[in-house]
Amino acid sequence: SDVEKLSSDVTNFNSRASAGSFSSQAAFNSERAALVGRSDSLNQTKQTIEQLIATYNADKQKFDATNTHLSSLTTSIDSSLATTPQVQ
């Protein structure tokens, strides 16, 4: 997944940084900025998904409430459930 790939790339980056493997501060900064950008993008995607899930859950609650109300209304007008009083 993208998260696993980023995690692996960050681990690799940190190992190379600890070993002093970057040829310059600019190379270090450039690669770090790219990793931060990927991380920010994944976090934004996560937030979008969480918002969509929250919207879905709210819509599902409304749908379930409507179905419960509909069932109640259907039951209240179902003439087969109780005898109808006789008009005299």
Side-chain angles (χ1 to χ4, degrees):
S1 77
D2 290 340
V3 173
E4 291 168 339
K5 175 70 173 136
L6 176 61
S7 179
S8 173
D9 290 349
V10 167
T11 299
N12 180 280
F13 172 85
N14 288 337
S15 293
R16 290 183 294 123
S18 293
S21 298
F22 287 95
S23 60
S24 67
Q25 186 66 39
F28 172 88
N29 290 340
S30 175
E31 191 168 331
R32 183 182 181 284
L35 291 170
V36 169
R38 286 171 55 197
S39 177
D40 290 346
S41 177
L42 286 173
N43 284 329
Q44 181 60 46
T45 299
K46 179 185 176 213
Q47 289 176 354
T48 299
I49 290 169
E50 288 172 346
Q51 289 169 350
L52 290 169
I53 289 169
T55 299
Y56 170 83
N57 287 335
D59 288 346
K60 184 173 181 323
Q61 281 184 323
K62 290 177 194 173
F63 176 77
D64 290 343
T66 300
N67 279 338
T68 299
H69 184 66
L70 176 62
S71 178
S72 174
L73 290 174
T74 301
T75 300
S76 72
I77 62 171
D78 189 347
S79 63
S80 67
L81 297 178
T83 56
T84 306
Q86 297 293 326
V87 177
Q88 307 223 359

